[in-house]
Amino acid sequence: AQSVTQPDIHITVSEGASLELRCNYSYGATPYLFWYVQSPGQGLQLLLKYFSGDTLVQGIKGFEAEFKRSQSSFNLRKPSVHWSDAAEYFCAVGARYNTDKLIFGTGTRLQVFP
Amino acid sequence: SQTIHQWPATLVQPVGSPLSLECTVEGTSNPNLYWYRQAAGRGLQLLFYSVGIGQISSEVPQNLSASRPQDRQFILSSKKLLLSDSGFYLCAWSVERGTGNTIYFGEGSWLTVV
């Protein structure tokens, strides 16, 4: 079955520390992968996406993610976290012509301490 | 540039009352349109999607319905709300291109059924 797993429900880091949010997927076709961020009470904003090519993808706000086919993972990273990064992060997977069927993980809530 | 508007932002409705959430997209034509629901502590669930005027696909059985009376307008409705309809509703759009189909979200509508 197609699925996305974000094993960390809640992560707390200090401002300036590095961050890695985990995402594992199970998908029968070639996956298209996304990370979205949601601030409290707001909609989702696209951080980055992977469709093909270089497996290290750069996004907005200094985030990057690396697609590892052998591990079925698409982890999100940031070298130095800012207090404004506190939010909920969602990983999603879809197929090239069928991403109306985007499958979302349950999210990881990031808390940043000063 | 494309923008998506969704309203109302917050809604408190009694059980058994009707519902109408509206969404419009500007700056693009013939978009794919979606309604998602996000319940507390859970990921995003796709409720409806539409690839054109009058074309609606339902993903889950429920007492909600969707309509697309115009190319860039998508409406979520219910004749009689249930307590379980409470949640955060997100409208989204996409335009499929050769490099894939990326979904962009509105700001969301909080619905509390009391």
Side-chain angles (χ1 to χ4, degrees):
Chain A
Q2 302 166 354
S3 65
V4 176
T5 301
Q6 292 181 248
D8 304 306
I9 298 173
H10 187 196
I11 284 183
T12 302
V13 300
S14 299
E15 190 170 20
S18 63
L19 173 70
E20 183 170 31
L21 302 182
R22 295 183 290 167
C23 173
N24 293 98
Y25 67 89
S26 174
Y27 202 78
T30 300
Y32 279 30
L33 297 155
F34 306 81
W35 275 100
Y36 289 85
V37 60
Q38 185 181 33
S39 296
Q42 297 187 18
L44 276 73
Q45 181 182 22
L46 179 69
L47 279 177
L48 48 78
K49 59 187 178 183
Y50 171 77
F51 285 162
S52 64
D54 192 346
T55 55
L56 184 62
V57 180
Q58 302 297 319
I60 62 172
K61 303 184 179 185
F63 285 92
E64 66 179 25
E66 186 171 12
F67 170 55
K68 293 185 178 180
R69 185 185 298 274
S70 61
Q71 299 177 21
S72 298
S73 68
F74 189 57
N75 294 348
L76 182 72
R77 301 194 295 249
K78 186 169 184 177
S80 178
V81 171
H82 189 263
W83 64 266
S84 60
D85 294 324
E88 187 139 21
Y89 292 80
F90 292 93
C91 181
V93 63
R96 180 172 185 176
Y97 295 114
N98 199 25
T99 45
D100 52 312
K101 307 293 187 183
L102 265 187
I103 299 169
F104 283 86
T106 50
T108 297
R109 181 167 297 278
L110 174 65
Q111 192 171 8
V112 180
F113 281 115
Chain B
S1 63
Q2 299 86 4
T3 58
I4 180 169
H5 303 283
Q6 183 179 343
W7 69 92
T10 305
L11 198 59
V12 180
Q13 292 285 98
V15 169
S17 64
L19 170 73
S20 180
L21 299 179
E22 190 165 341
C23 171
T24 58
V25 179
E26 298 177 357
T28 187
S29 59
N30 197 30
N32 299 324
L33 295 173
Y34 312 84
W35 279 110
Y36 284 85
R37 177 168 60 198
Q38 185 177 25
R42 302 176 65 178
L44 283 85
Q45 179 185 39
L46 178 62
L47 301 176
F48 301 95
Y49 71 95
S50 170
V51 298
I53 296 175
Q55 302 177 60
I56 310 293
S57 296
S58 174
E59 288 295 298
V60 293
Q62 59 213 325
N63 71 320
L64 299 171
S65 62
S67 61
R68 185 170 177 173
Q70 300 180 45
D71 180 44
R72 291 170 291 172
Q73 183 184 27
F74 206 25
I75 298 172
L76 182 69
S77 304
S78 174
K79 292 182 179 178
K80 290 185 178 182
L81 284 168
L82 306 172
L83 286 174
S84 58
D85 292 323
S86 294
F88 191 49
Y89 289 81
L90 290 154
C91 182
W93 70 273
S94 70
V95 176
E96 186 176 308
R97 296 186 172 87
T99 55
N101 189 25
T102 301
I103 294 178
Y104 298 93
F105 289 85
E107 289 301 308
S109 297
W110 282 102
L111 170 65
T112 303
V113 182
V114 296

